[in-house]
Amino acid sequence: MTGKTLGKTALLTVEHLTMRFGGLTAVDDVSFQAHSEAITAVIGPNGAGKTTMFNCITGFYSPTVGRLQLCRAQGENFFLERLPGYDIAGKAGVARTFQNIRLFPQMTVLENLIVAQHRVLMKASGMTVFGLFGFPSYRRREKEAVDFARYWLDRIDLLDRADVEAGHLAYGQQRRLEIARAMCTNPVLLCLDEPAAGLNPRESGELNELLLSIRNQEKVGVLLIEHDMSVVMEISDHVVVLDYGRLIAEGNPESVRNNPDVIRAYLGEEEDEALPEVIARDLAHHKDSGEGSTHA
Amino acid sequence: MQEGQTSAGSLEFDIVAAGKEAILAALVALGLTIFMLGFRATDAPGGLQLATRFDWVAIGVLCVFAGRFLIALLRQKKEKSGSFLGKGKPAQKEQGTETASQISDRLKRVKRFSHLIGLAMVAAAIFLPLSPIADRYIVDTATLVVTYVMLGWGLNIVVGLAGLLDLGYVAFYAVGAYSYALISQYYGLSFWVCLPLAGLLAGTFGIILGFPVLRLRGDYLAIVTLGFGEIIRVVLINWYSLTGGPDGISGIDRPSFFGLPFARVAKDGETFHQFFGLDYSSMHRILFLYYLILIMALLTNWAVLRLRKLPIGRAWEALREDEIACRSLGINPTNTKLTAFAIGAMFGGFAGSFFATRQGFISPESFVFIESAVILAIVVLGGMGSQIGVVFASVVLIGGFEFFRDLDEFRMLAFGGAMVLIMVWRPKGLLSFREPTITMSADPPPGKDGQQSPRPVGDAA
């Protein structure tokens, strides 16, 4: 799978991405590629800079150094670091979800999905003028938007909850709805920040199926941060490992799982026999990076 | 509360607890009233003398005691019936288990109900001046109430929908009023030409206010808008050469009925009563003004209700709910906020020019902070974002304020008390129900091909 997808041109190319907050380097010279129709997982211990990197890609931070190039299938190129946040979602087609769910809790489930189609509907409503007087062209577009929302509600099994306030949904349903809302922006790259957090094993399994179907049917690239190793190892085609802001390993799940650096940094402190040595190395590493960042 | 009583299922009350609570409240009332009501400085030969009015204190304390006692008992009753019969709030609590058809039924019922109330209120408003009780005073008061309804609907866009707390809304009211007064004075344009101009100018000022506050939220935003309202007022006072400063502008053109003035005699051409062959009556103008503001307010309502169901309105509400999520969906928060400010301000401007033409005289004194506060109170008391709630709140606040005119200095007390009571009973406003802007049930699935992936709407974009 990895070999196949890597052969194509990359959807997202991250080059030398660095993000500093004062003296702290949260993301340090990270380069990797994410592909269309592939699930790229970003893993790493807490504080490794995963969410910071996400925020750079989706325009919530502007990176200190680096280039984020998005190549759409139609040949359009976007340099995400130069776009304002809302254009990254609206024009370039990068949608995201949040670690702590950010729905519109007082709006209904359906409304959440309609708001996600804002840019298209806004255009169809002639910047509100046509819509205000109920032009039929706008009404048709709105109906299409509802149909699209219905399609996604059906996929995430929330069709009978369409007119309920989003805040009243159960936690797992809210997670699914947030993914559907992101998909309603019709993205080429879907960025998910810990989508399995707080889900039970059954829900987590359903999420895996949903993500696989998004990859296979909608042909979008998925970039996901995840702590749940069962999700990462089962569905990802490519894994990127960050530690202290640096990229320490990259490859298919199998190779990453067996990479000693990764094991040391993240997966298996208890699996490792030479524990004292590991801790010593870890501390040395920590000290190095600490000193490095104070100089920077 | 008490094990013995609750197991028997009786509705006996815990009198002692309620009494304690009431005594505590009465003591607080005593502390407050003893100086404010109990003593009074009166003029007497040889200087001021202290008169006592302990009977007033007693009445006040007794009222507080009785009121608090009743509240405590009511609360006990509510707790008991709530725990035994599950009377609580079934619609809210059981929403998780409602089926789709039940939800759609409930929404339909509510929709029909609000439509009925809306229609009834419009009918009442139209026929009010024709009813036998309508004299000049009633119609004048009704005009005032409808003006505030319109202002409330305008502010509802900013506060209720977009969630931007605006304490300086009266600034746009002032801009509208002064725009009309100055344009008509300097260029001699009629009310009907000035009305859109005033709206546009107020909208522009809305954008001017919007820019510096784009990054602010909540309390900070409220303070800046408060400052903006004061800036406008202070400029109006001090720019003497243009605005006449504290003297204001008098002799503002009154509106005409499609060119027919409401006067006893016209300088040139016919007047309203001559054209229609009526006897001259000063009521004509009053009635005309009333219907004018009614039409303007209804147009505002129509526009706001339409806007709410358009992408821009949904974006406003989404912005109120979560700005960060909005950005992640491609909504430009800057433009969205600015349009909310501009459109809200525009309706304020329309209402302002109506105010100017109705009064014939305006001065900065009409546009003080308390006006902003009253308009905001109308929106909040009515229930943020609720159109009908604004009407109720205006009638209660503005109408009630007039109604209690006989109470003199106690008017403010009654006013404040009413607000406290409403907020205690209905913390989310009189009508806090939010009607969805679009429902799935209203739009049945398209036959069998509901399963197929429809083309994303955004393909062309």
Side-chain angles (χ1 to χ4, degrees):
Chain A
M1 185 52 88
T2 316
K4 194 189 83 185
T5 47
L6 283 180
K8 294 183 189 171
T9 50
L11 175 64
L12 174 74
T13 310
V14 177
E15 286 173 290
H16 305 296
L17 179 69
T18 303
M19 182 74 212
R20 291 195 193 97
F21 298 102
L24 176 80
T25 307
V27 178
D28 191 1
D29 197 22
V30 170
S31 304
F32 71 93
Q33 293 187 328
H35 292 263
S36 200
E37 292 178 58
I39 296 177
T40 308
V42 180
I43 63 170
N46 281 331
K50 304 179 299 285
T51 300
T52 307
M53 190 179 79
F54 250 49
N55 283 340
C56 290
I57 293 170
T58 51
F60 284 85
Y61 297 150
S62 54
T64 320
V65 181
R67 201 165 73 162
L68 301 156
Q69 190 179 9
L70 187 95
C71 300
R72 292 182 68 132
Q74 298 93 326
E76 293 168 287
N77 267 356
F78 293 96
F79 292 103
L80 302 183
E81 77 276 10
R82 296 182 199 164
L83 287 178
Y86 53 86
D87 272 345
I88 289 180
K91 279 194 187 146
V94 179
R96 74 167 291 178
T97 65
F98 296 86
Q99 198 170 346
N100 41 346
I101 306 170
R102 286 185 174 275
L103 291 169
F104 306 121
Q106 286 186 52
M107 301 174 85
T108 66
V109 170
L110 177 63
E111 282 175 317
N112 269 271
L113 298 187
I114 300 289
V115 168
Q117 304 175 56
H118 174 79
R119 281 182 94 108
V120 187
L121 287 174
M122 197 66 187
K123 210 180 249 175
S125 75
M127 292 303 155
T128 306
V129 179
F130 296 166
L132 196 59
F133 298 102
F135 276 35
S137 63
Y138 170 69
R139 285 206 197 138
R140 203 169 54 240
R141 267 300 170 83
E142 197 184 53
K143 222 169 148 49
E144 281 171 20
V146 174
D147 286 343
F148 192 48
R150 178 181 290 120
Y151 165 71
W152 273 104
L153 285 176
D154 195 43
R155 292 265 308 253
I156 61 168
D157 200 22
L158 279 180
L159 200 48
D160 57 341
R161 287 270 160 277
D163 296 330
V164 173
E165 283 173 33
H168 287 166
L169 292 181
Y171 184 82
Q173 296 176 325
Q174 295 196 7
R175 281 259 175 236
R176 294 208 300 273
L177 177 61
E178 204 189 13
I179 294 173
R181 189 181 67 179
M183 285 309 295
C184 276
T185 63
N186 197 20
V188 291
L189 178 67
L190 176 66
C191 301
L192 304 171
D193 197 346
E194 298 198 24
L199 299 187
N200 62 33
R202 189 177 52 81
E203 289 172 323
S204 180
E206 287 170 4
L207 176 77
N208 284 358
E209 279 169 34
L210 177 66
L211 294 185
L212 287 173
S213 78
I214 284 176
R215 178 190 73 186
N216 299 336
Q217 288 181 29
E218 320 297 329
K219 316 284 186 207
V220 304
V222 177
L223 186 63
L224 104 147
I225 295 180
E226 193 46 75
H227 274 306
D228 188 335
M229 277 304 132
S230 71
V231 175
V232 172
M233 291 303 156
E234 263 180 50
I235 65 169
S236 36
D237 304 307
H238 190 69
V239 179
V240 173
V241 190
L242 295 186
D243 189 24
Y244 296 113
R246 296 215 184 95
L247 185 126
I248 59 166
E250 183 180 10
N252 61 22
E254 205 51 44
S255 73
V256 164
R257 198 208 297 261
N258 298 324
N259 185 317
D261 281 341
V262 178
I263 294 171
R264 183 172 53 81
Y266 186 46
L267 282 176
E269 269 156 34
E270 69 265 2
E271 281 174 30
D272 210 307
E273 270 89 37
L275 201 57
E277 196 194 328
V278 169
I279 291 172
R281 261 194 293 165
D282 228 336
L283 284 174
H285 176 74
H286 198 168
K287 207 175 150 201
D288 282 350
S289 62
E291 276 170 9
S293 58
T294 42
H295 288 304
Chain B
M1 283 172 91
Q2 308 233 312
E3 305 86 66
Q5 286 171 349
T6 46
S7 61
S10 69
L11 274 177
E12 263 179 63
F13 295 115
D14 187 353
I15 305 283
V16 182
K20 268 186 195 164
E21 202 181 316
I23 287 173
L24 205 66
L27 279 178
V28 173
L30 181 71
L32 284 173
T33 49
I34 189 124
F35 294 110
M36 289 201 262
L37 290 176
F39 295 98
R40 185 176 188 164
T42 48
D43 259 334
L48 289 177
Q49 262 189 344
L50 218 51
T52 55
R53 297 191 295 195
F54 289 127
D55 47 341
W56 286 41
V57 176
I59 293 171
V61 170
L62 274 178
C63 284
V64 169
F65 179 83
R68 189 74 213 195
F69 193 70
L70 272 177
I71 288 176
L73 289 186
L74 279 176
R75 202 173 47 218
Q76 284 180 17
K77 187 180 170 195
K78 204 171 165 189
E79 271 167 15
K80 279 181 187 170
S81 60
S83 59
F84 276 109
L85 308 170
K87 267 183 188 168
K89 279 179 188 165
Q92 290 289 319
K93 291 280 187 288
E94 288 169 17
Q95 205 156 40
T97 57
E98 260 180 320
T99 65
S101 66
Q102 276 172 320
I103 296 169
S104 79
D105 276 356
R106 181 166 54 83
L107 288 178
K108 265 182 211 152
R109 261 202 321 276
V110 170
K111 202 171 175 181
R112 206 177 310 138
F113 182 68
S114 61
H115 274 202
L116 267 179
I117 292 209
L119 276 179
M121 283 202 291
V122 170
I126 289 172
F127 291 110
L128 173 78
L130 309 177
S131 69
I133 56 153
D135 52 10
R136 190 183 168 134
Y137 173 67
I138 296 261
V139 177
D140 252 345
T141 308
T143 310
L144 192 68
V145 169
V146 179
T147 313
Y148 277 93
V149 169
M150 181 169 170
L151 285 169
W153 279 338
L155 185 63
N156 216 351
I157 295 177
V158 185
V159 178
L161 294 184
L164 305 162
L165 187 54
D166 186 350
L167 286 179
Y169 192 62
V170 80
F172 308 121
Y173 193 39
V175 168
Y178 271 84
S179 305
Y180 167 59
L182 292 173
I183 294 173
S184 86
Q185 210 167 49
Y186 282 94
Y187 300 101
L189 298 178
S190 83
F191 175 73
W192 297 106
V193 182
C194 291
L195 186 67
L197 287 178
L200 276 181
L201 267 169
T204 314
F205 270 80
I207 293 175
I208 292 173
L209 166 67
F211 265 112
V213 301
L214 279 173
R215 287 161 172 276
L216 305 178
R217 288 193 72 79
D219 313 351
Y220 306 100
L221 175 75
I223 290 168
V224 176
T225 53
L226 177 71
F228 181 79
E230 284 303 290
I231 288 172
I232 296 282
R233 194 176 62 88
V234 170
V235 166
L236 289 179
I237 290 180
N238 290 291
W239 196 352
Y240 196 85
S241 56
L242 181 73
T243 65
D247 305 340
I249 299 173
S250 53
I252 300 169
D253 244 5
R254 311 314 287 270
S256 55
F257 186 84
F258 300 103
L260 301 171
F262 292 94
R264 195 175 287 282
V265 281
K267 274 175 274 172
D268 44 352
E270 278 181 308
T271 65
F272 177 79
H273 69 97
Q274 287 164 347
F275 184 84
F276 286 99
L278 302 165
D279 289 333
Y280 175 76
S281 158
S282 61
M283 268 308 271
H284 288 162
R285 179 194 284 155
I286 308 272
L287 285 175
F288 173 70
L289 284 171
Y290 174 74
Y291 283 115
L292 176 62
I293 188 66
L294 189 61
I295 289 168
M296 281 166 65
L298 288 176
L299 278 175
T300 307
N301 185 34
W302 174 82
V304 174
L305 285 180
R306 278 317 281 255
L307 283 171
R308 215 185 138 236
K309 298 191 176 194
L310 288 174
I312 185 70
R314 292 199 194 101
W316 287 336
E317 288 199 81
L319 201 67
R320 176 192 68 201
E321 302 280 292
D322 197 323
E323 184 171 341
I324 288 175
C326 275
R327 271 212 290 171
S328 81
L329 299 175
I331 296 172
N332 182 342
T334 309
N335 291 353
T336 311
K337 277 188 195 174
L338 286 181
T339 46
F341 270 120
I343 294 178
M346 188 180 74
F347 289 119
F350 289 146
S353 50
F354 171 81
F355 176 77
T357 193
R358 173 176 173 238
Q359 301 293 95
F361 165 76
I362 51 171
S363 77
E365 254 171 61
S366 308
F367 308 106
V368 289
F369 167 68
I370 192 74
E371 292 293 317
S372 291
V374 167
I375 303 165
L376 186 67
I378 286 173
V379 174
V380 175
L381 285 184
M384 306 264 261
S386 162
Q387 295 290 97
I388 293 182
V390 164
V391 179
F392 278 128
S394 305
V395 171
V396 169
L397 283 192
I398 307 301
F401 204 57
E402 287 295 318
F403 183 75
F404 288 116
R405 195 170 273 284
D406 299 337
L407 291 179
D408 296 332
E409 71 252 49
F410 292 104
R411 191 159 69 142
M412 268 322 221
L413 195 68
F415 183 77
M419 279 169 82
V420 171
L421 282 182
I422 292 175
M423 282 290 112
V424 167
W425 278 325
R426 319 243 0 154
K428 283 175 158 181
L430 290 170
L431 285 177
S432 57
F433 176 78
R434 179 182 174 278
E435 195 183 308
T437 59
I438 190 165
T439 55
M440 193 62 96
S441 40
D443 190 22
K448 280 174 197 158
D449 42 53
Q451 290 298 314
Q452 280 172 5
S453 164
R455 271 164 66 83
V457 192
D459 256 4

